[in-house]
Amino acid sequence: MKNLVFKNFIINALGILCSRVLGLVRDILIALFLGAGLYSDIFFVALKMPAFFRRIFAEGAFGQSFLPNFVKARKKGAFCVNIMMQFSLIVLLFCLLVSFFSSFFTKIFAFGFNQETINIASPLVAINFWYLFFIFLVTFLGAILNYKQKFFITSFSAAFFNLSIVIAAFFVDKNYPLKTLYYFSYATVLSGVAQLILHLIILKNNPVIKAMILSIRLKKSKTKMKSFYGNFFHGVLGSSATQISSLLDTTIASFLISGSISYLYYANRVFQLPLALFAIALTQVSFPKILKHIKSNQEVLASKFMQKAMAFLSILLCVSSIAGSIFSLEICQLLFQRGNFTREDSIQTAYVLIAYLAGLLPFGLQKLLSLWLYAKFKQKTAALIAFKALFISLLCSIAFVILIKDENLKVIGVAFSSSLSAFYLLGANIKEFGFKKFFGLISFRFCFLTIIALIIFAAMLYLTKPYILNLFIWIYMGIKG
């Protein structure tokens, strides 16, 4: 991996790390004030809606379609003006629609909620959904920064969302959870405004922004959009499949014991830390590089780049899975077990976390391999793969919920279904990439030595776990004393 790419990965990872650390602080505070029950389930459903459409229209389909078409566009300023104006209007109208019919949309996202719970949740859904409008603009501006190989601002700006919840926590009381929900919801929207302002400040002298302004002044914003929308709508299908899977998990969990939605949320938040820090950070900086090689008909260089990226990512994700599984309970206790979040909640969340971590490696690798499809403008193929994975996840979730008799174990089955679908995603992406080409990237000697090293690492970590915990307790008591 070239030095520039590695440097960009480190910079991007640091930005994501800042955001995720603040995210964990945010989740600690949510667990403190809302626990794992009715009010936390309501808040997570209210957050789920803008997050769902954000990953479809912003980070997902939009991000996968915008950059390849932006690179090809001759009139980049005109292209960006068209995209920004058309999508901003669509997202704005959508936000208004959800605001006026919030009860209907809440029922879709939490079908298991009774009418009383729907009545409490719907105003919060209406407030939180406006975050989508601001975050679309942030994603659009962030894509322009990524084109210039500047990744830190966008990855770091997500910390504003977490920071806003942390600040709001200073003004709430755990004895008034409903009031807390409103404070957290307004803080969510304001964080989107803050992220947008930051990007506008950073991009004020950017040549692409200047080209956009010039295009508007000269009224020459007409440009071909057919290719973009074709890729975008296929990207919407692919991204929506992943998000529908998450939505269905929430919907299924709403029928299970109280707190099930929260267990999935808290465990997934921990799971997302290594996934974002390593897989997402690496894929974000890799995409422009792969695009450049493929556009220049240098597939050999692109393949060599993929080889190094895959080896690097695999080791990081395997180490994270092993350490996260062995210390799952301790992680959940350290992060969440305080206030309204009990020890029983920690145990349940820890088991759900292990179920998610089983799919960390395939989830991460398929993200990297899917870049090849997007760079080749095969968004339709990626969409079909994603929907097949959605179907597998749904069938497994329903099967586990029906077959498992213990109510506490059903939610673990839902999380494990997600991991099973990740293995299909990886296999399908390898097939599209080419089995021969894929196995040509793998050094079996390196794989064998890595597996042996990981087995030794897992055994040593498990055997030394009591001593590691005692060391942390000794350090904690020393600091406290």
Side-chain angles (χ1 to χ4, degrees):
M1 203 179 303
K2 292 186 177 180
N3 291 334
L4 179 59
V5 175
F6 184 73
K7 179 184 175 182
N8 286 333
F9 166 69
I10 296 297
I11 291 171
N12 197 29
L14 285 174
I16 291 174
L17 180 62
C18 291
S19 173
R20 296 293 169 159
V21 168
L22 275 173
L24 289 174
V25 174
R26 178 200 73 194
D27 293 335
I28 289 168
L29 292 171
I30 292 174
L32 172 64
F33 289 104
L34 300 178
L38 174 65
Y39 289 105
S40 60
D41 284 359
I42 288 172
F43 183 62
F44 296 142
V45 166
L47 280 180
K48 177 73 75 174
M49 289 192 64
F52 174 82
F53 290 104
R54 170 188 178 177
R55 292 190 175 96
I56 293 175
F57 292 110
E59 296 169 344
F62 182 83
Q64 295 157 5
S65 306
F66 176 81
L67 199 55
N69 284 278
F70 177 75
V71 170
K72 285 202 317 180
R74 291 176 58 237
K75 299 178 181 179
K76 289 182 168 48
F79 176 76
C80 289
V81 168
N82 273 277
I83 293 296
M84 185 185 71
M85 293 179 68
Q86 292 174 23
F87 273 80
S88 295
L89 180 60
I90 291 169
V91 175
L92 177 63
L93 292 174
F94 194 30
C95 289
L96 288 170
L97 182 67
V98 172
S99 295
F100 284 118
F101 301 99
S102 57
S103 295
F104 171 76
F105 284 97
T106 304
K107 189 67 176 177
I108 292 175
F109 275 71
F111 201 74
F113 280 180
N114 58 37
Q115 190 57 48
E116 183 181 355
T117 307
I118 293 290
N119 292 338
I120 297 172
S122 56
L124 297 160
V125 167
I127 295 168
N128 279 275
F129 204 82
W130 282 99
Y131 178 69
L132 176 65
F133 176 73
F134 297 105
I135 214 62
F136 161 71
L137 294 173
V138 169
T139 304
F140 169 75
L141 296 174
I144 295 173
L145 283 173
N146 288 352
Y147 173 70
K148 291 293 184 180
Q149 300 287 307
K150 295 179 180 179
F151 302 94
F152 181 77
I153 296 299
T154 302
S155 58
F156 174 77
S157 70
F160 280 46
F161 166 60
N162 303 317
L163 185 60
S164 67
I165 300 292
V166 173
I167 293 171
F170 286 98
F171 302 94
V172 299
D173 188 329
K174 66 180 180 181
N175 296 315
Y176 299 97
L178 185 57
K179 185 178 179 180
T180 299
L181 288 176
Y182 278 91
Y183 271 83
F184 285 174
S185 297
Y186 284 117
T188 297
V189 178
L190 290 174
S191 73
V193 177
Q195 291 180 63
L196 177 58
I197 292 172
L198 175 64
H199 278 76
L200 289 173
I201 293 171
I202 297 297
L203 281 163
K204 63 180 181 179
N205 295 319
N206 187 278
V208 177
I209 300 298
K210 289 180 178 180
M212 289 174 63
I213 295 171
L214 182 62
S215 178
I216 294 170
R217 286 177 178 174
L218 297 177
K219 297 181 180 180
K220 293 182 178 180
S221 58
K222 291 184 179 180
T223 185
K224 293 181 179 180
M225 304 290 291
K226 185 177 179 180
S227 175
F228 170 79
Y229 280 112
N231 291 326
F232 173 75
F233 287 121
H234 288 140
V236 165
L237 293 175
S239 298
S240 63
T242 304
Q243 300 314 309
I244 289 170
S245 178
S246 176
L247 169 61
L248 289 174
D249 286 350
T250 301
T251 303
I252 292 170
S254 70
F255 288 98
L256 305 181
I257 59 173
S258 179
S260 293
I261 293 175
S262 300
Y263 299 142
L264 288 173
Y265 174 83
Y266 289 125
N268 190 260
R269 288 296 298 169
V270 178
F271 166 79
Q272 288 291 332
L273 179 60
L275 186 66
L277 193 59
F278 303 132
I280 295 176
L282 186 60
T283 54
Q284 284 176 345
V285 301
S286 298
F287 196 27
K289 191 73 175 176
I290 293 170
L291 271 174
K292 181 181 177 181
H293 285 319
I294 290 179
K295 185 184 177 184
S296 304
N297 295 317
Q298 297 176 316
E299 288 202 11
V300 175
L301 289 177
S303 296
K304 288 181 178 179
F305 176 83
M306 289 281 287
Q307 181 182 38
K308 295 176 182 179
M310 281 174 50
F312 181 59
L313 183 59
S314 297
I315 293 172
L316 292 174
L317 294 179
C318 286
V319 170
S320 299
S321 297
I322 293 168
S325 298
I326 292 174
F327 289 95
S328 58
L329 178 58
E330 290 74 20
I331 290 170
C332 293
Q333 287 177 321
L334 176 65
L335 295 177
F336 309 123
Q337 191 175 304
R338 56 185 58 81
N340 291 327
F341 199 93
T342 65
R343 174 175 170 77
E344 288 70 26
D345 293 329
S346 292
I347 294 171
Q348 189 71 12
T349 305
Y351 283 125
V352 175
L353 174 58
I354 293 172
Y356 274 131
L357 287 172
L360 180 60
L361 179 63
F363 260 127
L365 289 181
Q366 70 85 22
K367 282 185 175 294
L368 189 60
L369 285 168
S370 66
L371 296 182
W372 194 272
L373 293 178
Y374 301 137
K376 290 278 192 177
F377 294 94
K378 293 185 177 180
Q379 279 81 357
K380 183 178 180 179
T381 302
L384 291 173
I385 292 172
F387 266 97
K388 289 177 182 178
L390 163 65
F391 187 67
I392 291 170
S393 179
L394 177 61
L395 283 182
C396 291
S397 291
I398 293 172
F400 282 130
V401 169
I402 293 172
L403 296 175
I404 296 173
K405 302 303 179 184
D406 191 326
E407 292 297 323
N408 291 315
L409 296 180
K410 290 179 184 290
V411 67
I412 300 172
V414 173
F416 188 63
S417 299
S418 177
S419 294
L420 291 176
S421 69
F423 284 95
Y424 168 77
L425 280 171
L426 178 59
N429 274 282
I430 292 173
K431 181 182 177 182
E432 291 300 325
F433 183 77
F435 285 109
K436 185 177 180 180
K437 188 190 298 184
F438 176 78
F439 287 112
L441 301 180
I442 297 175
S443 167
F444 289 98
R445 180 173 178 274
F446 174 80
C447 286
F448 177 74
L449 293 175
T450 301
I451 291 170
I452 296 299
L454 289 171
I455 292 172
I456 294 172
F457 170 73
M460 292 295 294
L461 199 62
Y462 180 78
L463 293 172
T464 58
K465 178 180 176 179
Y467 304 103
I468 294 172
L469 293 176
N470 286 334
L471 177 62
F472 276 102
I473 292 170
W474 179 78
I475 293 172
Y476 172 76
M477 294 302 293
I479 295 172
K480 189 175 180 181

